[in-house]
């Protein structure tokens, strides 16, 4: 579970726990007394009070990720995984986002790019293999 939370950037930080939804139930992840290697998952059951509706909006519900084989067909937005600022430009995709592409089976292959969005901007990802390294170069496709 720690690897999964790390891959989607939901591990707790030095500033506090992370919060997210699993099967419509609220959870948080926090560090235990063992430090960064000791991550505790805490379930927060809904309060069952008479005539009280439950939460109407989840704290974090990432979009469903599906494979995209052609531009704009089923494109997903990876922007929810990026914290802080993001400059739309050509670059190599950070390793944690490459792991997300692999895990969701939308990793580009040699000669076959993948298409997705980052914060609403369409991108093309291409696999670059050199010196035994596999990296994904991304290009914004600004009209």
């Amino acid at each position: 579970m720690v690897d999964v939370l790390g891959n989607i950037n939901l591990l707790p930080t030095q500033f506090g726990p992370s919060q997210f939804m699993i099967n419509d139930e609220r959870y948080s992840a926090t560090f235990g007394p063992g430090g960064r290697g000791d991550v505790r998952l805490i379930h927060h059951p809904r309060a069952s009070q008479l005539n009280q509706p439950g939460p109407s909006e989840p704290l974090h519900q990432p979009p469903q990720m599906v494979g995209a084989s052609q531009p704009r067909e089923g494109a997903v937005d990876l922007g929810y995984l990026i914290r802080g600022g993001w400059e739309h430009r050509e670059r190599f995709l950070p390793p944690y986002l490459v792991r997300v592409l692999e895990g969701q089976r939308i990793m580009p292959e040699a000669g076959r790019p993948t298409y997705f969005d980052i914060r609403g901007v369409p991108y093309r990802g291409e696999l670059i293999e050199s010196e035994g390294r596999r990296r994904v170069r991304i290009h914004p496709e600004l009209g």
Side-chain angles (χ1 to χ4, degrees):
M1 184 66 148
V2 173
D3 289 338
V4 171
L5 291 174
N7 286 342
I8 58 174
N9 210 20
L10 285 176
L11 283 174
T13 67
Q14 69 271 20
F15 303 112
S18 61
Q19 296 185 1
F20 44 88
M21 300 294 283
I22 300 175
N23 294 328
D24 293 326
E25 293 288 329
R26 191 167 64 101
Y27 287 83
S28 62
T30 187
F31 291 122
R36 294 195 61 80
D38 182 11
V39 177
R40 308 284 171 101
L41 187 64
I42 302 165
H43 177 234
H44 303 280
R46 296 181 193 191
S48 58
Q49 298 175 355
L50 293 174
N51 299 322
Q52 291 293 325
S56 60
E57 292 292 323
L59 296 173
H60 176 76
Q61 190 171 14
Q64 182 178 353
M65 299 183 79
V66 295
S69 58
Q70 297 178 10
R72 313 310 314 141
E73 177 187 309
V76 297
D77 197 318
L78 302 179
Y80 76 98
L81 295 168
I82 300 169
R83 300 201 185 208
W86 177 266
E87 181 183 340
H88 295 288
R89 62 178 174 81
E90 182 178 325
R91 66 175 77 195
F92 284 107
L93 199 60
Y96 77 95
L97 289 176
V98 171
R99 289 190 298 272
V100 171
L101 295 179
E102 290 172 333
Q104 297 299 322
R105 296 186 177 105
I106 58 173
M107 180 75 173
E109 297 174 7
R112 195 170 134 217
T114 299
Y115 298 88
F116 49 87
D117 292 350
I118 296 178
R119 296 187 174 165
V121 174
Y123 275 82
R124 181 180 76 249
E126 298 173 339
L127 182 64
I128 306 294
E129 296 179 282
S130 65
E131 300 175 11
R133 293 181 67 188
R134 295 180 55 176
R135 300 174 77 189
V136 176
R137 180 178 294 278
I138 60 171
H139 309 267
E141 298 197 323
L142 304 171

PDB file of all heavy atoms in Angstrom, residues 27-45:
ATOM      1  N   TYR A  27     -10.136   7.914   4.406  1.00  0.00           N
ATOM      2  CA  TYR A  27      -8.941   7.401   5.056  1.00  0.00           C
ATOM      3  C   TYR A  27      -7.910   8.520   5.131  1.00  0.00           C
ATOM      4  O   TYR A  27      -7.951   9.483   4.368  1.00  0.00           O
ATOM      5  CB  TYR A  27      -8.322   6.255   4.245  1.00  0.00           C
ATOM      6  CG  TYR A  27      -9.098   4.970   4.308  1.00  0.00           C
ATOM      7  CD1 TYR A  27     -10.194   4.755   3.483  1.00  0.00           C
ATOM      8  CD2 TYR A  27      -8.728   3.962   5.191  1.00  0.00           C
ATOM      9  CE1 TYR A  27     -10.905   3.566   3.534  1.00  0.00           C
ATOM     10  CE2 TYR A  27      -9.435   2.768   5.244  1.00  0.00           C
ATOM     11  CZ  TYR A  27     -10.513   2.581   4.420  1.00  0.00           C
ATOM     12  OH  TYR A  27     -11.217   1.407   4.477  1.00  0.00           O
ATOM     13  N   SER A  28      -6.966   8.351   6.028  1.00  0.00           N
ATOM     14  CA  SER A  28      -5.797   9.219   6.041  1.00  0.00           C
ATOM     15  C   SER A  28      -4.573   8.336   6.236  1.00  0.00           C
ATOM     16  O   SER A  28      -4.667   7.224   6.752  1.00  0.00           O
ATOM     17  CB  SER A  28      -5.891  10.295   7.129  1.00  0.00           C
ATOM     18  OG  SER A  28      -5.956   9.712   8.402  1.00  0.00           O
ATOM     19  N   ALA A  29      -3.450   8.835   5.777  1.00  0.00           N
ATOM     20  CA  ALA A  29      -2.174   8.148   5.964  1.00  0.00           C
ATOM     21  C   ALA A  29      -1.280   9.085   6.755  1.00  0.00           C
ATOM     22  O   ALA A  29      -1.189  10.275   6.454  1.00  0.00           O
ATOM     23  CB  ALA A  29      -1.542   7.802   4.620  1.00  0.00           C
ATOM     24  N   THR A  30      -0.651   8.546   7.779  1.00  0.00           N
ATOM     25  CA  THR A  30       0.227   9.339   8.622  1.00  0.00           C
ATOM     26  C   THR A  30       1.457   8.516   8.972  1.00  0.00           C
ATOM     27  O   THR A  30       1.434   7.287   8.884  1.00  0.00           O
ATOM     28  CB  THR A  30      -0.517   9.814   9.895  1.00  0.00           C
ATOM     29  OG1 THR A  30       0.314  10.717  10.606  1.00  0.00           O
ATOM     30  CG2 THR A  30      -0.902   8.648  10.789  1.00  0.00           C
ATOM     31  N   PHE A  31       2.522   9.180   9.353  1.00  0.00           N
ATOM     32  CA  PHE A  31       3.722   8.476   9.759  1.00  0.00           C
ATOM     33  C   PHE A  31       3.557   7.938  11.179  1.00  0.00           C
ATOM     34  O   PHE A  31       3.040   8.626  12.050  1.00  0.00           O
ATOM     35  CB  PHE A  31       4.956   9.388   9.721  1.00  0.00           C
ATOM     36  CG  PHE A  31       5.363   9.778   8.319  1.00  0.00           C
ATOM     37  CD1 PHE A  31       5.435  11.100   7.950  1.00  0.00           C
ATOM     38  CD2 PHE A  31       5.681   8.821   7.380  1.00  0.00           C
ATOM     39  CE1 PHE A  31       5.813  11.472   6.677  1.00  0.00           C
ATOM     40  CE2 PHE A  31       6.046   9.172   6.094  1.00  0.00           C
ATOM     41  CZ  PHE A  31       6.120  10.499   5.742  1.00  0.00           C
ATOM     42  N   GLY A  32       4.002   6.702  11.400  1.00  0.00           N
ATOM     43  CA  GLY A  32       4.019   6.117  12.735  1.00  0.00           C
ATOM     44  C   GLY A  32       5.317   6.477  13.438  1.00  0.00           C
ATOM     45  O   GLY A  32       6.148   7.231  12.911  1.00  0.00           O
ATOM     46  N   PRO A  33       5.549   5.905  14.619  1.00  0.00           N
ATOM     47  CA  PRO A  33       6.760   6.236  15.385  1.00  0.00           C
ATOM     48  C   PRO A  33       8.047   5.789  14.705  1.00  0.00           C
ATOM     49  O   PRO A  33       9.124   6.275  15.030  1.00  0.00           O
ATOM     50  CB  PRO A  33       6.557   5.516  16.717  1.00  0.00           C
ATOM     51  CG  PRO A  33       5.476   4.529  16.492  1.00  0.00           C
ATOM     52  CD  PRO A  33       4.668   5.006  15.335  1.00  0.00           C
ATOM     53  N   GLY A  34       7.948   4.885  13.706  1.00  0.00           N
ATOM     54  CA  GLY A  34       9.136   4.409  13.001  1.00  0.00           C
ATOM     55  C   GLY A  34       9.624   5.338  11.913  1.00  0.00           C
ATOM     56  O   GLY A  34      10.564   5.013  11.196  1.00  0.00           O
ATOM     57  N   GLY A  35       8.987   6.479  11.725  1.00  0.00           N
ATOM     58  CA  GLY A  35       9.431   7.456  10.718  1.00  0.00           C
ATOM     59  C   GLY A  35       8.868   7.175   9.342  1.00  0.00           C
ATOM     60  O   GLY A  35       7.804   6.592   9.191  1.00  0.00           O
ATOM     61  N   ARG A  36       9.640   7.565   8.297  1.00  0.00           N
ATOM     62  CA  ARG A  36       9.151   7.509   6.914  1.00  0.00           C
ATOM     63  C   ARG A  36       8.829   6.093   6.440  1.00  0.00           C
ATOM     64  O   ARG A  36       8.020   5.907   5.560  1.00  0.00           O
ATOM     65  CB  ARG A  36      10.156   8.165   5.975  1.00  0.00           C
ATOM     66  CG  ARG A  36      10.274   9.655   6.236  1.00  0.00           C
ATOM     67  CD  ARG A  36      10.969  10.400   5.114  1.00  0.00           C
ATOM     68  NE  ARG A  36      10.294  10.329   3.830  1.00  0.00           N
ATOM     69  CZ  ARG A  36       9.254  11.064   3.467  1.00  0.00           C
ATOM     70  NH1 ARG A  36       8.721  11.916   4.311  1.00  0.00           N
ATOM     71  NH2 ARG A  36       8.738  10.948   2.263  1.00  0.00           N
ATOM     72  N   GLY A  37       9.444   5.103   7.026  1.00  0.00           N
ATOM     73  CA  GLY A  37       9.159   3.724   6.637  1.00  0.00           C
ATOM     74  C   GLY A  37       7.953   3.147   7.348  1.00  0.00           C
ATOM     75  O   GLY A  37       7.534   2.031   7.068  1.00  0.00           O
ATOM     76  N   ASP A  38       7.384   3.884   8.262  1.00  0.00           N
ATOM     77  CA  ASP A  38       6.252   3.416   9.065  1.00  0.00           C
ATOM     78  C   ASP A  38       5.041   4.286   8.753  1.00  0.00           C
ATOM     79  O   ASP A  38       4.811   5.307   9.382  1.00  0.00           O
ATOM     80  CB  ASP A  38       6.619   3.508  10.545  1.00  0.00           C
ATOM     81  CG  ASP A  38       5.520   2.994  11.462  1.00  0.00           C
ATOM     82  OD1 ASP A  38       4.552   2.382  10.967  1.00  0.00           O
ATOM     83  OD2 ASP A  38       5.637   3.213  12.678  1.00  0.00           O
ATOM     84  N   VAL A  39       4.277   3.877   7.738  1.00  0.00           N
ATOM     85  CA  VAL A  39       3.097   4.639   7.322  1.00  0.00           C
ATOM     86  C   VAL A  39       1.864   3.924   7.848  1.00  0.00           C
ATOM     87  O   VAL A  39       1.691   2.727   7.640  1.00  0.00           O
ATOM     88  CB  VAL A  39       3.031   4.787   5.785  1.00  0.00           C
ATOM     89  CG1 VAL A  39       1.762   5.507   5.363  1.00  0.00           C
ATOM     90  CG2 VAL A  39       4.255   5.539   5.278  1.00  0.00           C
ATOM     91  N   ARG A  40       1.009   4.654   8.529  1.00  0.00           N
ATOM     92  CA  ARG A  40      -0.213   4.097   9.108  1.00  0.00           C
ATOM     93  C   ARG A  40      -1.421   4.568   8.315  1.00  0.00           C
ATOM     94  O   ARG A  40      -1.582   5.760   8.058  1.00  0.00           O
ATOM     95  CB  ARG A  40      -0.367   4.545  10.567  1.00  0.00           C
ATOM     96  CG  ARG A  40       0.852   4.288  11.437  1.00  0.00           C
ATOM     97  CD  ARG A  40       0.947   2.814  11.795  1.00  0.00           C
ATOM     98  NE  ARG A  40       2.186   2.486  12.451  1.00  0.00           N
ATOM     99  CZ  ARG A  40       2.321   2.324  13.756  1.00  0.00           C
ATOM    100  NH1 ARG A  40       1.292   2.497  14.556  1.00  0.00           N
ATOM    101  NH2 ARG A  40       3.490   1.992  14.261  1.00  0.00           N
ATOM    102  N   LEU A  41      -2.271   3.623   7.945  1.00  0.00           N
ATOM    103  CA  LEU A  41      -3.514   3.921   7.243  1.00  0.00           C
ATOM    104  C   LEU A  41      -4.627   3.943   8.278  1.00  0.00           C
ATOM    105  O   LEU A  41      -4.822   2.988   9.016  1.00  0.00           O
ATOM    106  CB  LEU A  41      -3.789   2.859   6.187  1.00  0.00           C
ATOM    107  CG  LEU A  41      -4.961   3.089   5.256  1.00  0.00           C
ATOM    108  CD1 LEU A  41      -4.725   4.329   4.400  1.00  0.00           C
ATOM    109  CD2 LEU A  41      -5.162   1.880   4.357  1.00  0.00           C
ATOM    110  N   ILE A  42      -5.368   5.041   8.332  1.00  0.00           N
ATOM    111  CA  ILE A  42      -6.415   5.223   9.336  1.00  0.00           C
ATOM    112  C   ILE A  42      -7.760   5.387   8.640  1.00  0.00           C
ATOM    113  O   ILE A  42      -7.915   6.239   7.764  1.00  0.00           O
ATOM    114  CB  ILE A  42      -6.120   6.453  10.212  1.00  0.00           C
ATOM    115  CG1 ILE A  42      -4.768   6.292  10.887  1.00  0.00           C
ATOM    116  CG2 ILE A  42      -7.235   6.668  11.232  1.00  0.00           C
ATOM    117  CD1 ILE A  42      -4.211   7.560  11.464  1.00  0.00           C
ATOM    118  N   HIS A  43      -8.716   4.557   9.024  1.00  0.00           N
ATOM    119  CA  HIS A  43     -10.067   4.628   8.470  1.00  0.00           C
ATOM    120  C   HIS A  43     -10.895   5.581   9.321  1.00  0.00           C
ATOM    121  O   HIS A  43     -10.857   5.522  10.544  1.00  0.00           O
ATOM    122  CB  HIS A  43     -10.699   3.231   8.473  1.00  0.00           C
ATOM    123  CG  HIS A  43     -12.108   3.223   7.976  1.00  0.00           C
ATOM    124  ND1 HIS A  43     -13.137   2.691   8.699  1.00  0.00           N
ATOM    125  CD2 HIS A  43     -12.654   3.678   6.816  1.00  0.00           C
ATOM    126  CE1 HIS A  43     -14.264   2.807   8.020  1.00  0.00           C
ATOM    127  NE2 HIS A  43     -13.997   3.407   6.880  1.00  0.00           N
ATOM    128  N   HIS A  44     -11.626   6.475   8.672  1.00  0.00           N
ATOM    129  CA  HIS A  44     -12.488   7.429   9.369  1.00  0.00           C
ATOM    130  C   HIS A  44     -13.931   7.107   9.010  1.00  0.00           C
ATOM    131  O   HIS A  44     -14.459   7.627   8.025  1.00  0.00           O
ATOM    132  CB  HIS A  44     -12.157   8.869   8.963  1.00  0.00           C
ATOM    133  CG  HIS A  44     -10.731   9.238   9.217  1.00  0.00           C
ATOM    134  ND1 HIS A  44     -10.265   9.585  10.451  1.00  0.00           N
ATOM    135  CD2 HIS A  44      -9.666   9.293   8.378  1.00  0.00           C
ATOM    136  CE1 HIS A  44      -8.967   9.852  10.368  1.00  0.00           C
ATOM    137  NE2 HIS A  44      -8.583   9.676   9.119  1.00  0.00           N
ATOM    138  N   PRO A  45     -14.585   6.240   9.788  1.00  0.00           N
ATOM    139  CA  PRO A  45     -15.963   5.884   9.445  1.00  0.00           C
ATOM    140  C   PRO A  45     -16.878   7.092   9.550  1.00  0.00           C
ATOM    141  O   PRO A  45     -16.637   8.009  10.335  1.00  0.00           O
ATOM    142  CB  PRO A  45     -16.341   4.816  10.469  1.00  0.00           C
ATOM    143  CG  PRO A  45     -15.313   4.884  11.535  1.00  0.00           C
ATOM    144  CD  PRO A  45     -14.112   5.605  10.992  1.00  0.00           C
TER     145      PRO A  45
END
